[in-house]
Amino acid sequence: MTEPLRRLALCGAVLLLAGVSLVIGFRAAGADGTTPVPQALAFLPWLLVPGAAGLGLAALARWRGGLVWAAVALALTVWFVRPYGPGTTGSHGPVVARLDVLTSNVEFGDATDALIATVRRERPDVVFVQECDFACADALAARVPAASYPYRDVVRLDGSLGSAILSRFPLRPAGRIEGAMAMPGSVAVVAGRDVRLQLAHPMPPVPGGVSVWRRELGRIRDFAAAVRAEPAVVAGDFNASQDHAAFRAVLDAGGLHDSARLAGSSRAYSWPADRTTPLRAQIDHVLVSDEFSVRSARFLRLAATDHRALLVALELHEGG
């Protein structure tokens, strides 16, 4: 290799490894930083690509220090790709109830028809709906029989702001988490036990809006901490993955568990689902407290939305 090409390979390796190291450094420090770090953290497994490219360029440039740097960066990336949190909940004792939970972001209400068809087919016991606009709320009222879902907590707002919880179990109001988009909460009575249901839909970490995203996830974290001793299900579009410190703080504060992780699908994507791209992330979650175990978790494709719905089969145990 000529000297100019060696220098070019050296420069390329430095740039690639510096970018990977920046993102991995924030992940290792348990911080999300600011743009572009939160956005890059959402696709953390894909750091293996520039990391491997940096390794190859360091080899071409015969740069021993770069080879060590690349090896460390790749090893840390692989380490952090592992599922976060324990592989089981603390549930014990007899199963007192089985329930299926569905969460779906219907993207400004556009996927309402697909959601209703999915609800009719899968017959979940509890349904969490995000971005349910006025037309979506009206369609749920008109086309999802009250006999099937007699208990509802619907926040009628336009565009992405509206949300809904549909339930076969009796509900009583339990307040909302404050946010730009509605995050209603209820208490369901399941087999004679109170189960806290909370919809999650914080603002996304768009450039210029990271502080709002962090603040709203912080409110969800505070909620999780407040109900730590209660059976709870927190579900929705969190706009965050296990690679975001703000999301991991929600899990840790309430002792909650990510259902997809427990079902062996911690890296299954939920967004974006409406276009072909390798850059995808799991930002839709169903979180459960220790009283629950998870039988299965399935991501379902719905037409007209950029999110895959998540259907989780749960068992409520006597103890946790």
Side-chain angles (χ1 to χ4, degrees), residues 86-93 255 257 262 288-293 317 319-320:
T88 60
T89 66
S91 60
H92 60 266
H257 307 269
L262 297 179
V288 297
S289 60
D290 273 341
E291 292 80 5
F292 289 94
S293 60
H317 292 256

Side-chain angles (χ1 to χ4, degrees), residues 30-285:
D32 292 322
T34 188
T35 301
V37 176
Q39 294 84 357
L41 281 169
F43 309 110
L44 183 139
W46 285 97
L47 292 179
L48 292 169
V49 175
L55 177 67
L57 289 174
L60 284 175
R62 300 188 298 278
W63 178 28
R64 292 184 179 179
L67 291 174
V68 174
W69 184 5
V72 171
L74 286 169
L76 287 173
T77 304
V78 170
W79 176 262
F80 289 128
V81 166
R82 297 175 310 136
Y84 182 78
T88 60
T89 66
S91 60
H92 60 266
V95 173
V96 297
R98 288 187 170 184
L99 61 154
D100 292 346
V101 174
L102 176 72
T103 181
S104 178
N105 180 320
V106 293
E107 195 176 9
F108 303 101
D110 291 346
T112 301
D113 290 345
L115 172 65
I116 292 173
T118 300
V119 168
R120 289 173 174 170
R121 182 181 70 250
E122 302 291 346
R123 303 182 65 186
D125 299 290
V126 181
V127 183
F128 294 84
V129 190
Q130 305 91 57
E131 299 197 17
C132 186
D133 63 356
F134 291 138
C136 167
D138 291 341
L140 293 178
R143 296 165 52 197
V144 177
S148 299
Y149 296 92
Y151 309 102
R152 308 185 182 206
D153 186 353
V154 180
V155 182
R156 287 180 55 84
L157 292 170
D158 203 11
S160 66
L161 306 181
S163 294
I165 301 174
L166 311 182
S167 173
R168 297 186 188 276
F169 305 109
L171 296 179
R172 64 176 185 267
R176 303 175 186 174
I177 295 177
E178 181 183 351
M181 297 181 285
M183 292 189 275
S186 297
V187 175
V189 180
V190 181
R193 302 186 65 187
D194 287 351
V195 176
R196 190 68 162 85
L197 304 179
Q198 179 60 53
L199 185 145
H201 195 200
M203 291 293 287
V206 296
V210 172
S211 61
V212 177
W213 168 76
R214 187 179 290 112
R215 182 166 60 249
E216 294 191 358
L217 276 169
R219 291 173 184 153
I220 299 172
R221 177 202 62 217
D222 293 343
F223 162 83
V227 299
R228 188 181 182 96
E230 305 173 30
V233 177
V234 186
D237 171 12
F238 285 76
N239 280 307
S241 75
Q242 70 168 45
D243 300 309
H244 290 111
F247 177 72
R248 296 194 301 276
V250 173
L251 296 175
D252 296 340
L256 299 174
H257 307 269
D258 195 326
S259 295
R261 185 268 183 274
L262 297 179
S265 300
S266 64
R267 288 296 173 182
Y269 77 90
S270 68
W271 174 89
D274 61 341
R275 55 186 180 272
T276 302
T277 172
L279 296 178
R280 288 169 164 165
Q282 186 182 120
I283 61 174
D284 299 84
H285 308 276

Side-chain angles (χ1 to χ4, degrees), residues 289-311:
S289 60
D290 273 341
E291 292 80 5
F292 289 94
S293 60
V294 178
R295 291 185 290 122
S296 66
R298 291 189 290 139
F299 288 90
L300 309 176
R301 180 72 181 96
L302 273 62
T305 175
D306 56 349
H307 290 254
R308 290 205 292 177
L310 174 57
L311 178 64

Side-chain angles (χ1 to χ4, degrees), residues 13-33:
V14 169
L15 290 174
L16 288 171
L17 294 176
V20 170
S21 299
L22 173 68
V23 179
I24 288 297
F26 275 96
R27 175 63 181 85
D32 292 322

